[in-house]
Amino acid sequence: MIRNSMEEKEEKNKYSIIVPTYNERLNIALTIYLIFKHLQNVNFEVIVVDDGSPDGTQEIVKQLQQVYGEDCILLRPRPKKLGLGTAYMHGLKHATGNFVVIMDADLSHHPKYLPSFIKKQIETGASIVTGTRYVKGGGVHGWNLMRKLTSRGANVLAHTLLWPGVSDLTGSFRLYQKSVLEDVISSCVSKGYVFQMEMIVRASRKGYHIEEVPITFVDRVYGSSKLGGSEIVEYLKGLLYLLVTT
Amino acid sequence: MKHIVKIMALLVALSAFWISLLQTSVLPQSYTWLLPLYFIVSLGCYGLLMVGVGLIQFPTCPHEAILLQKDIVEAKGFLKEKGVDIGSE
Ligand SMILES: Nc1nc2c(ncn2[C@@H]2O[C@H](COP(=O)(O)OP(=O)(O)OP(=O)(O)O)[C@@H](O)[C@H]2O)c(=O)[nH]1
Ligand SMILES: [Mg+2]
């Protein structure tokens, strides 16, 4: 009985997977292959929001459309690099599913976890399912000691000050009910890592039901990181901002 | 209620408790005076401890990196076959 109703729900649901890209020519192809491999019998679309990558990311996406069909892969480019937060909003405008998944294109978010996000959502009816690296079954590969130290420090600080109720604040591999994402994203102003934190903290303050699934995170193999600079300072500022506004 | 208000309320409650301790002198005065210091130090220790424990128990997944390499090889094979121009990295 339970199985049947689960399958029925799965059939009605449509998942829009928003993938922002900037210079991810090779990675986006691999990611899309893996998405299609792991999401069989699921109604979904991939929305690639490319910010005018000079490396020809869009060319590759067009070729992938030929392989997988133009109705399954939507290319919604923007003329220049305008940042991640607005890339999600842009993708969201074109989403036709009732659920939206947000993931990176750099293979550190492996599409093999998509079914567990979907399953968790159906089982619990959650508004948001967020991938966490810091529970049993999760993990990170490829970080040096400094990276681990800052990550742990940031996490302890955020948990002591914000009491967010989720274990991984800065991860960005998440599934949202579309209306919930629209609601939360419109009240978020931060950039970079803080943006992910703001999204989940605001959602938790608004009382949305948030569930977690373990994911593993393998640091990018190809291409280079687009975040950088004075990240720690930005993070601390963001934390303060969240303290006084949420 | 903004979160900062909650934290402030907590701090106010703690201070009120401390002041009442000072006035009723259940504990020796000299000892009570040092309590806030102990509080701050133990908070700091808690933070350092949590970071330390987090570092020692940092969950890693070297096996996943190997699996990913396999997935990449498989994906590249498929894409080449379909004529997607993924270059020769
Ligand atoms: N459309 C768009 N995508 C972006 C932009 N900046 C980053 N991205 C994409 O967002 C995702 C995450 O960016 P990353 O550079 O991997 O950021 P990160 O994961 O914090 O850093 P890494 O340590 O390099 O993995 C990737 O898919 C990028 O291609 C941008 O300005 N516009
Ligand atoms: Mg990344």
Side-chain angles (χ1 to χ4, degrees):
Chain A
M1 270 314 279
I2 293 174
R3 256 208 83 74
N4 271 341
S5 68
M6 254 168 71
E7 269 162 18
E8 261 167 41
K9 266 194 203 161
E10 228 167 306
E11 265 158 38
K12 272 193 304 200
N13 289 333
K14 180 168 183 184
Y15 300 87
S16 299
I17 305 172
I18 301 179
V19 193
T21 58
Y22 188 75
N23 283 349
E24 305 282 8
R25 186 188 170 86
L26 177 55
N27 285 328
I28 188 65
L30 302 173
T31 303
I32 284 180
Y33 167 81
L34 291 169
I35 291 176
F36 278 86
K37 177 181 168 190
H38 290 281
L39 281 188
Q40 281 158 15
N41 311 318
V42 176
N43 187 8
F44 72 96
E45 65 189 357
V46 181
I47 303 174
V48 180
V49 181
D50 185 71
D51 277 2
S53 306
D55 76 341
T57 301
Q58 291 178 31
E59 293 313 308
I60 283 282
V61 174
K62 281 174 193 152
Q63 292 179 24
L64 290 162
Q65 283 177 327
Q66 299 312 309
V67 178
Y68 291 104
E70 276 179 41
D71 46 340
C72 292
I73 302 178
L74 315 182
L75 177 57
R76 296 290 178 265
R78 299 188 298 174
K80 62 174 201 287
K81 196 170 189 304
L82 295 167
L84 262 180
T86 55
Y88 296 136
M89 275 187 229
H90 182 81
L92 188 56
K93 271 189 284 183
H94 300 281
T96 63
N98 53 336
F99 286 95
V100 175
V101 175
I102 284 178
M103 65 187 291
D104 289 355
D106 60 0
L107 291 178
S108 44
H109 294 163
H110 198 297
K112 72 179 167 195
Y113 294 108
L114 287 169
S116 62
F117 280 80
I118 292 173
K119 186 159 164 273
K120 187 75 167 189
Q121 196 287 321
I122 290 173
E123 279 171 3
T124 63
S127 303
I128 302 176
V129 180
T130 175
T132 176
R133 298 163 282 192
Y134 304 126
V135 295
K136 198 169 173 297
V140 176
H141 177 79
W143 280 2
N144 60 22
L145 187 65
M146 196 54 205
R147 190 77 186 73
K148 288 181 186 168
L149 185 70
T150 40
S151 160
R152 289 312 345 183
N155 229 295
V156 169
L157 206 59
H159 274 100
T160 321
L161 291 177
L162 292 174
W163 320 338
V166 277
S167 60
D168 194 344
L169 290 168
T170 50
S172 54
F173 194 175
R174 293 178 185 149
L175 181 146
Y176 299 83
Q177 247 158 37
K178 190 182 174 198
S179 54
V180 172
L181 179 58
E182 283 166 341
D183 176 28
V184 176
I185 208 168
S186 61
S187 43
C188 288
V189 299
S190 309
K191 293 195 169 60
Y193 286 112
V194 182
F195 175 79
Q196 310 299 350
M197 186 159 78
E198 178 169 14
M199 291 277 282
I200 208 74
V201 171
R202 285 201 189 279
S204 135
R205 299 279 193 264
K206 282 176 188 243
Y208 286 120
H209 178 179
I210 305 173
E211 290 283 337
E212 298 187 312
V213 289
I215 58 162
T216 57
F217 181 100
V218 178
D219 212 17
R220 62 162 66 244
V221 186
Y222 302 108
S224 60
S225 178
K226 280 108 211 167
L227 298 169
S230 49
E231 259 163 38
I232 296 180
V233 178
E234 285 308 312
Y235 179 82
L236 293 177
K237 277 199 234 159
L239 210 59
L240 267 180
Y241 165 75
L242 288 180
L243 263 178
V244 295
T245 61
T246 69
Chain B
M1 188 162 54
K2 300 284 182 238
H3 197 69
I4 189 83
V5 181
K6 279 189 214 161
I7 291 181
M8 287 303 183
L10 202 68
L11 288 179
V12 169
L14 279 175
S15 327
F17 178 66
W18 179 61
I19 290 169
S20 71
L21 273 186
L22 268 182
Q23 279 173 349
T24 53
S25 51
V26 229
L27 295 170
Q29 283 269 340
S30 58
Y31 189 76
T32 317
W33 275 111
L34 284 176
L35 274 180
L37 195 69
Y38 290 149
F39 178 70
I40 292 168
V41 169
S42 51
L43 206 65
C45 285
Y46 164 81
L48 285 180
L49 194 78
M50 290 305 282
V51 173
V53 168
L55 260 189
I56 292 167
Q57 297 185 338
F58 201 95
T60 55
C61 48
H63 187 57
E64 289 297 323
I66 300 167
L67 291 180
L68 180 62
Q69 283 307 323
K70 284 191 192 139
D71 286 337
I72 289 175
V73 172
E74 179 189 315
K76 279 183 173 171
F78 175 86
L79 293 168
K80 275 215 185 90
E81 196 181 296
K82 293 281 175 185
V84 178
D85 173 27
I86 49 170
S88 50
E89 268 177 86

